[in-house]
Amino acid sequence: MNDTFRLGRIVGVRVGVNWTVLVVFAVLAYGLAADRLPQSYKGLHPVVYVLGGLLTAAAFMASLLAHELAHAVVARRNGLTVDGITLWLLGGVARFEGEPDSPGAELRIAGAGPLVSLLLGVVLAGASAVLLLAGANGMVTGCLAWLAAINVVLALFNVLPAAPLDGGRLVHALLWRLSGDRTKATLRAAQTGRGFGWAAMVAGFYVSLWTFSGLWLIVIGWFLIAAAGMEAGQARVIARLEGITIGRIMTPDPFTVPGSMTAAEFLREMLPRHRHTAYPLVDEGVVRGIVTAERIGEQDPGAPVGAVVEEAGRTGAHTSLAELLPRLARERLLVFDGDRLVGIVTPRDLTRALERLPS
């Protein structure tokens, strides 16, 4: 799920928003401002209902973000690198590099989100109860109660034992601990996720005979089935990659480009002899990143190639390919032996390696 725009960093974690969140926000705000709030609290000015709907919908989005931030913070404390968080149509996704190294770590990471949602629900319910006891039975109290209920629902929904929901992760951690085999645990958890997905779709079709709300169940069911299938497929690929290191698939001793070289010199002298898509850029003996033939070709002939240098991740030649699989699917990595550049590995190298695997 790609970011449409970014909100910056919160507690060091990059946060992005997919455009589908705007759909959810608009539906919630409209439903609250046009239906729920006017029916529950009559006689107020229409602007008050609109503000109440907008603020309550925004608070719900903030609670979704808190749920995902909990996953990210706990994952970081358990040694994982957090790529970022994306809020989208069905909630949020926290992206990590690699996988938890133990069932206990996965249990803590998966449980953090629902626990924060549940705590938010309890705190908001307490605040609503205090206002009620103080005699403030108004719209603010009702909005707090609604937020409390939706956070509890969010926590309960996410602990359903269906991958890739948090509950599916919890089941995976338990199966992993019992069997000692991560791949088998993933495949079994994915089967559970597909089962829940089909059940949700069947229920959605049944409910949609009477109300359009059944469409949400159909969408959720489809998402669970598709995501569980992807997880199962990824688990099978990772199992086949066991024992393969980055050094076996990288392009060794790559040709480097000096930062002072112009685009015209590169296209005239470098590209015809070494037809690669990316080259490490070296400036005063230091590897600064990578440059691509495509970006250089877009520059003015006299512009230095260093003007289009891109950051690149770094890894060692003995690093497991399975460990870096998520990163290699989308970026290029420079391979080092100590401080010495020994290779470069690209998504194309990964594709070739997967094609050579026995079926």
Side-chain angles (χ1 to χ4, degrees):
M1 185 56 57
N2 297 323
D3 296 344
T4 303
F5 55 90
R6 293 178 179 174
L7 301 180
R9 290 182 177 271
I10 302 176
V11 296
V13 179
R14 188 177 65 196
V15 179
V17 176
N18 184 266
W19 67 269
T20 54
V21 166
L22 301 178
V23 177
V24 177
F25 180 82
V27 170
L28 284 176
Y30 179 80
L32 288 166
D35 184 28
R36 184 180 182 87
L37 296 180
Q39 286 190 7
S40 301
Y41 308 98
K42 301 183 184 300
L44 300 178
H45 194 280
V47 174
V48 175
Y49 298 130
V50 171
L51 288 175
L54 291 173
L55 291 175
T56 305
F60 173 66
M61 293 301 164
S63 65
L64 284 179
L65 179 57
H67 179 110
E68 296 303 328
L69 281 172
H71 288 309
V73 170
V74 176
R76 196 163 53 189
R77 290 181 178 176
N78 281 271
L80 296 181
T81 299
V82 180
D83 282 344
I85 291 171
T86 299
L87 299 180
W88 71 298
L89 179 66
L90 296 180
V93 177
R95 301 182 303 279
F96 315 130
E97 290 182 8
E99 297 287 341
D101 59 5
S102 68
E106 182 167 38
L107 185 70
R108 291 188 290 273
I109 296 169
L115 180 59
V116 164
S117 293
L118 184 61
L119 289 175
L120 281 174
V122 171
V123 170
L124 290 166
S128 177
V130 168
L131 290 177
L132 280 174
L133 291 174
N137 187 18
M139 193 174 74
V140 173
T141 304
C143 289
L144 288 174
W146 184 87
L147 286 170
I150 203 70
N151 271 280
V152 172
V153 169
L154 180 64
L156 294 177
F157 172 74
N158 272 277
V159 295
L160 289 175
L165 297 178
D166 298 330
R169 307 290 185 201
L170 297 174
V171 170
H172 179 267
L174 176 62
L175 293 173
W176 182 9
R177 182 177 291 276
L178 291 176
S179 67
D181 189 320
R182 185 204 293 263
T183 302
K184 287 183 179 178
T186 302
L187 294 176
R188 290 174 182 171
Q191 288 177 345
T192 305
R194 279 194 289 263
F196 269 89
W198 281 113
M201 289 193 72
V202 170
F205 280 117
Y206 180 76
V207 172
S208 63
L209 295 175
W210 290 274
T211 172
F212 285 110
S213 61
L215 294 176
W216 282 107
L217 280 174
I218 295 173
V219 171
I220 290 171
W222 169 83
F223 167 72
L224 291 175
I225 293 169
M230 290 179 61
E231 290 211 353
Q234 187 178 43
R236 294 188 183 97
V237 170
I238 290 176
R240 293 162 65 194
L241 294 177
E242 287 297 330
I244 301 177
T245 62
I246 289 295
R248 287 178 56 183
I249 73 163
M250 70 181 184
T251 300
D253 302 318
F255 296 100
T256 60
V257 177
S260 58
M261 177 178 278
T262 65
E265 290 172 336
F266 173 85
L267 296 173
R268 182 178 64 251
E269 301 172 12
M270 195 76 169
L271 190 59
R273 290 185 295 165
H274 316 294
R275 299 192 66 83
H276 299 296
T277 58
Y279 301 79
L281 182 134
V282 178
D283 190 8
E284 298 181 354
V286 179
V287 180
R288 301 296 185 186
I290 62 168
V291 289
T292 63
E294 180 182 4
R295 294 270 325 260
I296 293 173
E298 296 171 352
Q299 300 301 301
D300 292 332
V305 295
V308 291
V309 65
E310 302 174 18
E311 291 186 5
R314 301 188 175 205
T315 187
H318 300 293
T319 305
S320 167
L321 176 56
E323 180 181 334
L324 292 178
L325 187 62
R327 292 180 64 186
L328 280 176
R330 62 180 187 275
E331 65 176 308
R332 303 172 179 90
L333 298 176
L334 297 173
V335 186
F336 286 81
D337 183 3
D339 293 330
R340 185 170 66 92
L341 177 69
V342 296
I344 183 172
V345 59
T346 68
R348 179 184 293 181
D349 295 319
L350 174 62
T351 300
R352 290 171 178 169
L354 294 177
E355 289 174 348
R356 292 195 297 266
L357 287 175
S359 56

